[in-house]
Amino acid sequence: AVATLKDGVKEKERSEKIMRPVEISDVISRSIGVMVADGTVSKIITRNTKIPITQTKPYTNAGDYADEVIIQVYQGESLYPEDAGFLGEFWIDIEPKPRYESKIDVSFAVGEEFGILHVTAKDHDSGNERTVKMEAAGRLTKRERNKWMRKMLKTQAIEVIVENIDTRDVLDYYLNPSASIGDVRQDLTKKGILSEGMGIFYDDRELDDESLVRDLSIEDGSTLELR
């Protein structure tokens, strides 16, 4: 059985600011949250929050005796996911319990590393915990991020969806046209979405590690499958 999250109404939201000895001036430009059972986005880090920041919010299971839950991450001010920016999703195994009895903490951490969001989900009953890295963590708008990517890469980055077929994890990802597939493999492995021995597929064709992204005719908005 599979469940979505429901807001934990009996616990206060907890946050922990990571302190440093100088004044923090950078902020989150757009709120970041997760989709819950009523189809809305529950914000965990709100717009204009100073970084670095780690913030945790409690949730519970929305269905009876589910053995896994999906964590779907969005950015933006809208309560509705169709009007927000999708960042990625992943699954975590939970202890099967009656509806509303599980305790699942979701933590967001944004540091000084550009555009990286660390998402951690923990089920208190089973002890299971997963952490996934996601890009475009709400510090910049898509237009601002593309401008930065063009400046850094000297070309237009290719935005794709990366999907792990086995785990069903999904990430929004930017490809550097000058990078090799081997470089992409290393980066996706660091982000925790690609496991050893898996291939990277585009249009049902496995990509060779020596190939350059710019030579593969990968279209903006397309999907790379990991299997």
Side-chain angles (χ1 to χ4, degrees), residues 27-61:
V27 297
I28 299 290
S29 65
R30 289 192 286 174
S31 301
I32 320 170
V34 294
M35 189 167 75
V36 291
D38 64 0
T40 63
V41 177
S42 169
K43 294 180 176 63
I44 294 179
I45 298 181
T46 57
R47 181 181 180 181
N48 293 328
T49 298
K50 290 184 177 181
I51 61 171
I53 180 73
T54 297
Q55 194 142 308
T56 301
K57 192 171 182 179
Y59 296 90
T60 188
N61 56 326

Side-chain angles (χ1 to χ4, degrees), residues 162 173-176 179-201 205-211 213 224-227:
V162 177
Y173 188 75
Y174 285 84
L175 290 171
N176 178 352
S180 69
I181 294 301
D183 295 330
V184 174
R185 176 183 297 279
Q186 289 183 356
D187 191 41
L188 293 177
T189 300
K190 289 179 181 178
K191 286 179 168 55
I193 191 172
L194 179 64
S195 301
E196 185 177 354
M198 299 188 79
I200 302 175
F201 289 78
R205 171 171 55 97
E206 185 170 9
L207 304 181
D208 185 87
D209 282 359
E210 300 300 321
S211 300
V213 171
L224 297 183
E225 292 185 348
L226 311 179
R227 46 189 167 95

Side-chain angles (χ1 to χ4, degrees), residues 97-136:
K97 300 191 73 173
R99 184 171 52 175
Y100 304 156
E101 290 192 9
S102 293
K103 182 182 177 184
I104 304 161
D105 283 347
V106 179
S107 300
F108 285 176
V110 181
E112 296 178 350
E113 186 180 9
F114 179 86
I116 299 298
L117 170 68
H118 297 260
V119 183
T120 300
K122 180 178 181 180
D123 174 45
H124 283 256
D125 293 300
S126 66
N128 288 334
E129 181 176 329
R130 285 197 69 190
T131 298
V132 173
K133 279 186 180 182
M134 296 184 180
E135 293 193 1

